[in-house]
């Protein structure tokens, strides 16, 4: 695939150079070499057939891409309650775009062929055509209105988290280049925090207000555990630059902005264990490990360590380029049963017991 792309890039570069040479030639006076640069019927016919040929190329490469590179369904592995709605909206948008692109490309290239220049033929000129303008204005307006309205309903469902449903409150704290999660403890209420309160000597790395009663039972972890089926409301902060909390399998993303708190909520629906057990995920993990095995043979031959086998985990990623180690800014997410979550949370140290006394 890399070789094919390299060849295509080289071809496009050569075509671009050739076109630039042609443009240069067109800028020169015809009297210099006596060549006539005005297109004749033969030139127009050739370019008309080339347009049809290029149209066929577009359709052939599209069909080939679907057959050889396509991975249907387009969206899968959604693990949140709102995920299927987001996936449906995405699929509908892509289908609409594909249909419009197919029709418009056909009309563009076919008309260029059919109405190519011929000696003695004059182009028919329309100053305006109200009917055509109404058609190509009203249809896109209706389609876009439907998509936008559906998108607004989906967005409202995601963002309007009803706190009467007792969602689990978790703070996601971003800094170059790591994540921390802070749980509200038994009262499910986060204590106040401010970056100005960060005290490294006291191990208060998140700037939690030590005097706030609600902060005493807060729990800070480097791993995110979520109980399946329970709504979760994330409060997000950034210590330094703009980050973006991105959880792809939960169809969740929200910027973490220095100086303010943003939020995002969802309900996880598939545990980590269940997702690992799906046929699709098993195939994906198997393919990845086959590649790692081949790569490991090369590394071992060079005297280096072999790669460890890949195991699927949900991940929290940073989706903003936040610095030189941005690629490494991730945190594992474990979705588990309520009983497993309760057992894990009991083993964690609360904030008041995690401070270092000077």
């Amino acid at each position: 695939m890399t070789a094919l792309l390299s060849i295509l890039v080289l071809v496009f570069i050569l075509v671009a150079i050739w076109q630039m040479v042609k443009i240069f030639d067109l800028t020169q006076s015809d009297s210099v070499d006596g060549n006539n640069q005005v297109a004749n019927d033969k030139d127009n016919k050739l370019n008309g057939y080339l347009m049809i040929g290029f149209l066929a190329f577009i359709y052939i490469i599209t069909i080939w891409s679907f057959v050889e590179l396509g991975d249907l369904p387009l969206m899968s592995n959604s693990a949140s309650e709102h995920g299927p709605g987001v996936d449906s909206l995405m699929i509908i948008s892509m289908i609409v775009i594909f249909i419009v692109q197919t029709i418009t490309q056909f009309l563009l290239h076919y008309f260029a062929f059919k109405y190519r220049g011929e000696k003695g033929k004059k182009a028919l000129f329309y100053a305006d055509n109200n009917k055509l303008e109404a058609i190509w204005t009203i249809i896109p307006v209706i389609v876009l209105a439907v998509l936008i309205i559906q998108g607004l309903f989906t967005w409202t469902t995601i963002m309007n988290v009803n706190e009467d449903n007792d969602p689990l409150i978790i703070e996601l704290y971003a800094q170059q280049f790591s994540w921390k999660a802070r749980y509200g403890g038994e009262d499910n209420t986060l204590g106040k925090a401010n970056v100005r309160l960060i005290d490294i000597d006291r191990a208060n790395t998140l700037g939690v207000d030590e005097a706030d009663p609600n902060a005493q039972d807060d729990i800070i972890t480097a791993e995110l555990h979520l109980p399946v089926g329970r709504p979760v409301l994330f409060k997000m902060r950034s210590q330094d630059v703009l980050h973006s909390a991105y959880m792809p399998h939960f169809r969740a993303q929200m910027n973490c902005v220095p100086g303010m708190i943003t939020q995002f909520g969802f309900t996880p629906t598939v545990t980590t264990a269940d997702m690992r057990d799906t046929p699709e995920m098993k195939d994906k993990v198997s393919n990845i490990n086959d590649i790692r095995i081949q790569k490991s043979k090369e590394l071992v031959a060079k005297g280096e360590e072999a790669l460890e086998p890949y195991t699927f985990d949900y991940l929290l990623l940073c989706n903003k380029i936040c610095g030189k180690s941005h690629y490494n800014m991730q945190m594992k997410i474990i979705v588990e049963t309520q009983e497993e979550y309760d057992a894990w949370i009991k083993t964690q140290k609360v904030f008041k017991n995690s401070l270092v006394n000077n």
Side-chain angles (χ1 to χ4, degrees), residues 71-97:
D71 186 13
L72 301 175
L74 298 174
M75 308 289 288
S76 61
N77 289 332
S78 169
S80 64
E81 197 172 79
H82 72 258
V86 174
D87 290 354
S88 297
L89 185 61
M90 187 67 154
I91 291 171
I92 291 171
S93 299
M94 294 181 73
I95 291 174
V96 171
I97 292 170

Side-chain angles (χ1 to χ4, degrees), residues 166-180:
D166 189 32
L168 180 64
I169 308 296
I170 303 175
E171 178 184 78
L172 295 180
Y173 186 80
Q175 64 183 125
Q176 294 174 312
F177 298 95
S178 65
W179 293 97
K180 289 290 189 295

Side-chain angles (χ1 to χ4, degrees), residues 219-221 223 225 336 339-350 353:
I219 296 171
I220 300 172
T221 67
E223 192 173 73
H225 285 243
E336 55 200 356
E339 293 75 17
E340 291 170 329
Y341 171 79
D342 292 339
W344 172 80
I345 205 74
K346 287 179 181 178
T347 65
Q348 304 304 304
K349 186 181 294 186
V350 296
N353 295 331

Side-chain angles (χ1 to χ4, degrees), residues 136-175:
W136 67 49
T137 300
I138 293 174
I139 292 177
V141 166
I142 294 174
V143 174
L144 289 174
V146 171
L147 291 175
I148 291 171
I149 291 171
Q150 184 180 354
L152 287 174
F153 278 120
T154 304
W155 179 251
T156 301
T157 302
I158 296 171
M159 297 305 297
N160 292 350
V161 178
N162 188 355
E163 298 198 28
D164 293 335
N165 294 332
D166 189 32
L168 180 64
I169 308 296
I170 303 175
E171 178 184 78
L172 295 180
Y173 186 80
Q175 64 183 125

Side-chain angles (χ1 to χ4, degrees), residues 7-48:
I7 293 171
L8 288 175
V9 170
L10 180 60
V11 170
F12 289 141
I13 290 174
L14 292 175
V15 170
I17 294 173
W18 176 65
Q19 290 293 334
M20 290 176 66
V21 171
K22 293 288 289 182
I23 292 172
F24 177 77
D25 288 342
L26 288 172
T27 61
Q28 307 303 306
S29 173
D30 290 343
S31 61
V32 173
D33 53 12
N35 292 330
N36 186 5
Q37 299 292 344
V38 177
N40 54 34
D41 286 355
K42 182 180 178 181
D43 296 328
N44 290 330
K45 187 175 182 179
L46 173 62
N47 281 284

Side-chain angles (χ1 to χ4, degrees), residues 186-252:
E186 292 186 5
D187 59 3
N188 197 31
T189 302
L190 294 169
K192 296 177 182 178
N194 192 301
V195 292
R196 294 181 177 85
L197 298 177
I198 292 176
D199 188 344
I200 302 299
D201 294 334
R202 294 269 291 161
N204 185 0
T205 56
L206 270 60
V208 179
D209 187 350
E210 298 180 26
D212 187 351
N214 291 324
Q216 305 309 308
D217 64 345
D218 286 0
I219 296 171
I220 300 172
T221 67
E223 192 173 73
L224 185 58
H225 285 243
L226 304 175
V228 68
R230 181 175 179 183
V232 182
L233 179 60
F234 293 99
K235 306 286 186 176
M236 305 178 187
R237 287 194 300 142
S238 172
Q239 176 175 305
D240 34 53
V241 300
L242 184 67
H243 298 277
S244 186
Y246 177 44
M247 293 167 272
H249 288 89
F250 304 105
R251 308 300 189 258

